[in-house]
Amino acid sequence: MLEDSYGRVATDLRVSLTDRCNLRCSYCMPPEGLEWLPKPELLTDDEVLRLIRVGTTHLGITEVRFTGGEPLLRRGLPGLVAGTTALTPRPRTALTTNGIGLARMAPALAEAGLDRVNVSLDTLRHDRFEKLARRRRLQDVLDGMAGAAEAGLTPVKVNAVLMRGINDDEAPDLLRYCIERGYELRFIEQMPLDAQHGWRRDTMVTADEILARLEADFSLEAADADTRGSAPAELFHVRGARFPDGERATVGVIGSVTRPFCGACDRVRLTADGQIRNCLFAREESDLRALLRGGASDEEIAERWTAAVATKLPGHGINDPSFLQPARPMSAIGG
């Protein structure tokens, strides 16, 4: 098992397939983008699949989520999904994406065995989307979500970040949109993971504020906390509302900063260049790529991986005065 010194066991592996992205979201990177990793530094498809296999067969990984950057930009993505779902034991598989190109790729991903998708959507207004993402691609994202649902990649989960004075008035509209289409909406507090290091606590829309905005239009009822487990989202039932399939409508709030859930964290991250990160905010990494390319055995890789997770800190430390933002931005870490 991938157990740390506080008794937490990592079973959820987030695999970043690329640091590249086709959007330039203002809370993630500058308009001109970033200096991407050189191709030789990226793990090959075979290397990615080998590490996933080591994780599932040696270390107890039961869920694999492919992330980026934007993972749909990775050539061979369906093959990576198919190789993962062919493993025994078979891990649950998911994909976190900005949705651009998803409408076209959803059938192939479903055929490869992908279970579901998470799609980022911060606004329903074309002008705001262009301001936030610096691209005119909102319709592509909406089409991607619909295409994923049609292909059976469900439940389609939607991740939204509210930013003060930009889109923080859209919380009720986003929830209505998702309920009508059967999407499971999750609002996420903005975290200090931007490449510009411009995050400020006083401009972040907090979980309490998100709930207040929703409760101006909806009546919410907290779901049973005992069923939350290691899930990062606090779930709420929307009274009187149902998804198209008849199930009670829900909305989630992920208070990563003001309501940290580090004590139940079960995630570990593999970057596109083969580094293990035991926390999204870790400032140290463990190099598995060098072991792969140096001829190490599966057992030696598993031993290095186990040691990396064992040193995980009790929490992300954002609320500590000594907190330092990780050197890598979100696009290079993977969500």
Side-chain angles (χ1 to χ4, degrees):
M1 294 192 301
L2 289 170
E3 185 173 8
D4 65 34
S5 61
Y6 297 91
R8 297 166 297 190
V9 177
T11 58
D12 183 341
L13 173 62
R14 308 295 172 95
V15 181
S16 173
L17 298 178
T18 178
D19 59 333
R20 296 174 183 265
C21 189
N22 42 16
L23 298 180
R24 298 290 183 270
C25 296
S26 59
Y27 56 82
C28 185
M29 64 178 71
E32 65 276 12
L34 299 168
E35 184 176 347
W36 310 126
L37 289 166
K39 188 173 181 179
E41 294 186 13
L42 298 177
L43 296 179
T44 66
D45 289 0
D46 287 344
E47 289 171 337
V48 170
L49 287 173
R50 184 183 175 194
L51 290 179
I52 293 174
R53 177 175 57 78
V54 170
T56 56
T57 61
H58 288 66
L59 299 171
I61 293 296
T62 59
E63 181 166 351
V64 174
R65 184 183 301 190
F66 296 104
T67 69
E70 175 44 55
L72 294 180
L73 295 178
R74 175 79 180 227
R75 292 183 178 180
L77 175 60
L80 287 169
V81 174
T84 300
T85 57
L87 292 170
T88 301
R90 180 199 187 280
R92 297 185 301 276
T93 58
L95 176 80
T96 295
T97 172
N98 63 27
I100 296 175
L102 183 57
R104 175 178 53 84
M105 291 191 64
L109 293 172
E111 185 177 353
L114 188 70
D115 294 313
R116 64 170 187 83
V117 296
N118 282 55
V119 182
S120 299
L121 177 70
D122 300 323
T123 178
L124 295 168
R125 291 177 47 172
H126 289 268
D127 59 334
R128 285 185 177 176
F129 186 92
E130 184 176 356
K131 180 179 179 181
L132 282 168
R134 304 185 179 105
R135 298 290 188 274
R136 298 181 180 179
R137 305 298 298 270
L138 175 57
Q139 193 58 53
D140 292 322
V141 178
L142 301 180
D143 291 345
M145 293 160 61
E150 185 176 351
L153 299 175
T154 55
V156 173
K157 295 188 177 182
V158 177
N159 299 334
V161 176
L162 296 184
M163 285 149 285
R164 195 176 307 282
I166 298 175
N167 67 336
D168 54 337
D169 59 337
E170 285 195 72
D173 291 339
L174 285 164
L175 182 52
R176 287 190 192 92
Y177 184 90
C178 290
I179 290 175
E180 289 171 1
R181 291 158 180 80
Y183 306 151
E184 296 185 5
L185 178 61
R186 304 287 185 266
F187 289 101
I188 306 175
E189 287 182 339
Q190 185 182 358
M191 294 178 284
L193 288 167
D194 59 306
Q196 309 92 306
H197 288 207
W199 178 88
R200 289 170 47 196
R201 181 181 297 274
D202 58 350
T203 63
M204 179 191 72
V205 180
T206 67
D208 286 345
E209 290 176 295
I210 293 167
L211 289 171
R213 282 161 171 74
L214 292 173
E215 288 173 335
D217 287 56
F218 299 94
S219 177
L220 303 181
E221 174 188 357
D224 187 355
D226 292 337
T227 64
R228 180 178 178 183
S230 60
E234 294 180 68
L235 277 186
F236 298 85
H237 295 293
V238 184
R239 290 194 180 100
R242 293 191 176 273
F243 291 131
D245 64 2
E247 291 292 320
R248 294 179 69 185
T250 60
V251 62
V253 177
I254 301 177
S256 307
V257 178
T258 65
R259 302 182 181 188
F261 42 88
C262 301
C265 181
D266 65 351
R267 287 167 287 287
V268 62
R269 290 170 170 81
L270 174 66
T271 66
D273 57 349
Q275 310 301 306
I276 284 293
R277 298 178 62 89
N278 58 29
C279 175
L280 189 60
F281 295 93
R283 295 188 59 80
E284 296 181 354
E285 300 175 336
S286 294
D287 188 0
L288 297 188
R289 185 187 62 196
L291 290 179
L292 281 171
R293 297 179 180 178
S297 66
D298 288 356
E299 290 72 20
E300 290 171 321
I301 292 170
E303 184 178 354
R304 172 74 62 84
W305 196 334
T306 302
V309 171
T311 60
K312 184 173 181 174
L313 296 175
H316 54 47
I318 295 175
N319 298 307
D320 190 294
S322 63
F323 172 77
L324 292 175
Q325 186 171 329
R328 293 213 208 201
M330 175 66 93
S331 61
I333 296 172

